[in-house]
Amino acid sequence: MVGGMQIRTPACRPGRPRSAAADTAILAATREALVELGWSKLTLGDVATRAGVAKTTLYRRWSGKNELVVDAVAELFGELELPDRGSLAADIEGVVLQFAAILARPEAKSGLMAAIAESTRDDALRERIRASIVDPQKGLVLEGRARAQARGELPPETDPAEAARTVDLIFDVVAGAVVHRTLVSAEPADEEWVRGFTRVLLQGLSSASVPPGPYGPAAASGTSGTSGTSGTSGTSAASGTSGD
Amino acid sequence: MVGGMQIRTPACRPGRPRSAAADTAILAATREALVELGWSKLTLGDVATRAGVAKTTLYRRWSGKNELVVDAVAELFGELELPDRGSLAADIEGVVLQFAAILARPEAKSGLMAAIAESTRDDALRERIRASIVDPQKGLVLEGRARAQARGELPPETDPAEAARTVDLIFDVVAGAVVHRTLVSAEPADEEWVRGFTRVLLQGLSSASVPPGPYGPAAASGTSGTSGTSGTSGTSAASGTSGD
DNA sequence: GAGCTTTCGATACGAGTCGTAGCGTAATGG
DNA sequence: CCATTACGCTACGACTCGTATCGAAAGCTC
C-alpha cells in the first residue's frame, strides 16, 4: 500500500528486508517538506535528508516525486469515516466537513492538486491516485447512499447502471465543490457553507429559499434550525457582474 | 491584460515599445508546449525558442513559469459565453458544455491545475488566477441567475448578502464538479453527464429518479452501456468499492 | 557459523534547467 | 542627433536530477 507491497512476508525473499520504519519516515518527511516548501520547491534530496535516509534508498521505492507525494497524501485521506448520524443530510454534512478539514491542510492542498495536474499526462499516476485516494472516498458515497435508501430518504434504485452513474455524479459534485471552494475560491468550507451546499445538493436550486419539502423531515441540518441564516452585512450582491 | 498593461500608450515612455506580436507568440508557444510537454517538463527556454524570441525577453515580461501559464490559459477561458437559450436548465447545460470543452483540452488541464496547485503557496498568483479566470466565470453565473429570476424560474433574492453567498456556492458546485469529472475521474463531461448534473443542481437528489418536466428521462439511459459495475444492492458498500 | 542475497548509506558524476549579466543592435521620441 | 528602452545572443554559477559505484549491514538457508 505504501511503496511496494511485494515484500513483507519473511519467506518471500532471502536478503535483507526493507526497513518499514524508513517508509513511514520518508512519507512523514514528505508531508513536512510539502508544508514548508510546497510542491514545486520540494526536492527528493531534501526529503531524504529529513527522513534520515540516503537518496538512493528513496529512489529504490518510489520512481519519482509524483508517486511519493501521492502516497504521502493518501495517508491523510485514510482518516475519512462515515459514522451514522441519523439522516442523509447529517451524514453528508459530517463527511464533507471531514473532507474539508483534510483539504485545508497545506500538505494536502499543494500535494494533491499538483499530483492531479501531473496525472493528466501520466496514466499510471492517475491510476495510483484513483486506487489510493479516490476509490475509498467513492466507497463512502456508496455507503451513505445505501443508508439513505434504507431510511427511505432516497428512492431505491432499480437500474444498476443508472445507480452507478448517479454515484459517480454525486461524488464529482461533492468532492469537486469542496475542492473548488477550498483551493480556487480559497475560502473555508465551514459549517455554514456546508449547510448551504447540502441543501442545494438534496433539494436543488429551484427550492433554494423555500423551506424543505418532500423528503426533508427533521434533517434540514443536524445541529440547527438554520432557517434564520445570519446574513446581514449587505455589501453588494449583483452589483458589477464583471468583478474587478 | 496580457503581460503588462502599463505601456501601450505611445506618449507614455520614450524608448522602443514592446512588441505586441511577441506577447501573442509567447502565449501561443506556451500553450503549444503545454500540449506537447505538460506542465512539469515545460521550460521557459523551450517556450522562448518556440516563440522565436530570446529567453531574456520572456523574463522581462513574466516573472516565472506560473504567471506565464496563467496568462496563456486565461485566453482559453475568454471564449466562454452565455447566450440566452430560453430556460435556466438550457443555459446551465450550454455553459457547462462549453466549460467542459475547454477543460478537455490538454493545455487547459495540466496548465490550470498546476497553476492552482502553486497558488496555494503564492497569494499573488492566486489573485492573478482569480482576476483573469475565475471572476469572469462568476460573472456568467450572475448573468444566468438574473435571467432565471426574470423568467420566474428562480425566486428573487431579497437579501443581497445571501444572494452573494448563493452565487459563490453555485459557482463552486458547477466549476468544481466539471473539473473533478474531467481531471480526477478522467471521464468526459458529455451531454449525458451534463443533463444529469443539471437535473441534480436544479432539483436535488431527493427527486433523482422522478421524471422532471421539460427534460424527458428518455435520454437518461440511452447510449453508452457501462452496464454491470458496482453492485447496486451493496448495502455493505465498503467491500466492492473499486467500481469501473 | 558459512554463504548467499538484498538493502542501506555515502559519494561522485554528467546532464539539464534556472535566472541573471553583459554586450551590441534595433526602434521610438524629443 | 541623442536619450531611452526593447531586443537577440552568449555565457555563467548555482542548483536539481537520476544513476552508478562501493563497502558495510541485515536477514535467510544450509
Side-chain angles (χ1 to χ4, degrees):
Chain A
M1 182 180 194
V2 187
M5 58 179 70
Q6 61 275 29
I7 28 110
R8 276 303 168 57
T9 49
C12 181
R13 285 210 253 180
R16 171 180 178 175
R18 287 187 175 176
S19 163
D23 271 335
T24 61
I26 290 172
L27 291 176
T30 302
R31 286 188 290 269
E32 181 185 318
L34 274 177
V35 174
E36 294 183 16
L37 306 173
W39 164 273
S40 59
K41 296 187 178 179
L42 180 145
T43 67
L44 294 193
D46 184 47
V47 170
T49 303
R50 289 171 189 265
V53 302
K55 196 171 61 167
T56 46
T57 299
L58 218 162
Y59 275 101
R60 281 194 199 97
R61 306 180 183 204
W62 286 277
S63 58
K65 193 202 278 196
N66 297 336
E67 286 76 12
L68 174 62
V69 170
V70 168
D71 285 355
V73 173
E75 288 190 343
L76 295 178
F77 290 94
E79 305 170 359
L80 279 175
E81 292 178 357
L82 185 59
D84 193 330
R85 289 181 168 83
S87 74
L88 175 57
D91 279 359
I92 292 176
E93 291 183 5
V95 75
V96 166
L97 277 176
Q98 279 186 71
F99 186 62
I102 295 174
L103 215 57
R105 299 167 68 170
E107 63 268 37
K109 279 187 194 173
S110 59
L112 181 64
M113 293 314 290
I116 290 175
E118 287 302 306
S119 75
T120 61
R121 303 214 124 248
D122 185 341
D123 290 340
L125 183 64
R126 179 158 43 79
E127 191 57 30
R128 177 183 281 249
I129 294 175
R130 207 174 63 81
S132 61
I133 300 181
V134 175
D135 277 347
Q137 292 176 17
K138 197 173 287 188
L140 296 181
V141 175
L142 283 167
E143 191 177 344
R145 180 181 171 80
R147 272 192 209 151
Q149 288 177 338
R151 292 193 201 100
E153 293 177 296
L154 286 180
E157 199 57 68
T158 56
D159 184 1
E162 177 83 15
R165 271 198 304 271
T166 303
V167 167
D168 288 346
L169 175 62
I170 295 171
F171 179 61
D172 285 327
V173 171
V174 173
V178 176
V179 168
H180 201 274
R181 166 81 176 178
T182 305
L183 298 189
V184 179
S185 298
E187 290 177 36
D190 52 14
E191 287 193 16
E192 181 182 357
W193 183 88
V194 171
R195 270 195 294 269
F197 169 73
T198 304
R199 195 181 57 187
V200 169
L201 182 64
L202 289 180
Q203 294 161 6
L205 281 182
S206 307
S207 58
S209 57
V210 177
Y215 273 104
S221 63
T223 53
S224 66
T226 91
S227 55
T229 64
S230 59
T232 36
S233 81
T235 42
S236 67
S239 58
T241 56
S242 68
D244 186 71
Chain B
M1 179 178 184
V2 189
M5 58 181 69
Q6 62 273 32
I7 29 111
R8 277 305 168 57
T9 49
C12 181
R13 285 210 251 180
R16 171 179 177 177
R18 285 188 176 175
S19 164
D23 272 334
T24 62
I26 290 172
L27 292 176
T30 302
R31 287 187 290 268
E32 181 185 317
L34 274 177
V35 173
E36 294 182 17
L37 305 173
W39 164 273
S40 59
K41 295 187 178 178
L42 179 144
T43 68
L44 294 192
D46 185 46
V47 170
T49 303
R50 289 171 189 265
V53 302
K55 195 170 60 168
T56 47
T57 298
L58 218 162
Y59 275 101
R60 283 191 198 98
R61 306 181 185 207
W62 286 276
S63 59
K65 193 202 280 195
N66 297 337
E67 286 77 13
L68 174 62
V69 170
V70 168
D71 284 356
V73 173
E75 289 190 342
L76 295 177
F77 290 94
E79 305 170 0
L80 278 175
E81 292 177 359
L82 186 59
D84 194 329
R85 288 182 168 83
S87 74
L88 174 58
D91 280 359
I92 292 176
E93 291 182 4
V95 75
V96 166
L97 277 176
Q98 279 186 69
F99 186 62
I102 295 174
L103 216 56
R105 299 168 69 172
E107 63 268 38
K109 279 186 195 174
S110 58
L112 181 64
M113 293 314 290
I116 291 175
E118 287 302 307
S119 76
T120 60
R121 304 215 124 245
D122 185 341
D123 290 339
L125 183 64
R126 180 157 42 80
E127 191 57 28
R128 178 184 280 250
I129 294 175
R130 204 179 60 80
S132 61
I133 300 181
V134 175
D135 277 348
Q137 292 176 18
K138 197 172 286 186
L140 296 181
V141 176
L142 283 167
E143 190 179 344
R145 179 180 172 80
R147 270 191 212 152
Q149 288 178 337
R151 293 193 201 99
E153 294 176 294
L154 286 181
E157 199 56 68
T158 56
D159 183 0
E162 176 83 16
R165 272 200 303 270
T166 303
V167 167
D168 288 345
L169 174 62
I170 294 171
F171 179 60
D172 284 328
V173 170
V174 173
V178 176
V179 168
H180 202 275
R181 167 79 175 179
T182 305
L183 297 189
V184 180
S185 299
E187 290 177 34
D190 52 13
E191 289 194 15
E192 181 181 355
W193 184 87
V194 172
R195 268 196 293 269
F197 169 72
T198 304
R199 194 180 58 187
V200 169
L201 182 64
L202 290 180
Q203 295 164 3
L205 281 181
S206 305
S207 58
S209 60
V210 177
Y215 291 94
S221 64
T223 60
S224 91
T226 321
S227 58
T229 71
S230 101
T232 57
S233 56
T235 347
S236 58
S239 59
T241 56
S242 65
D244 189 48

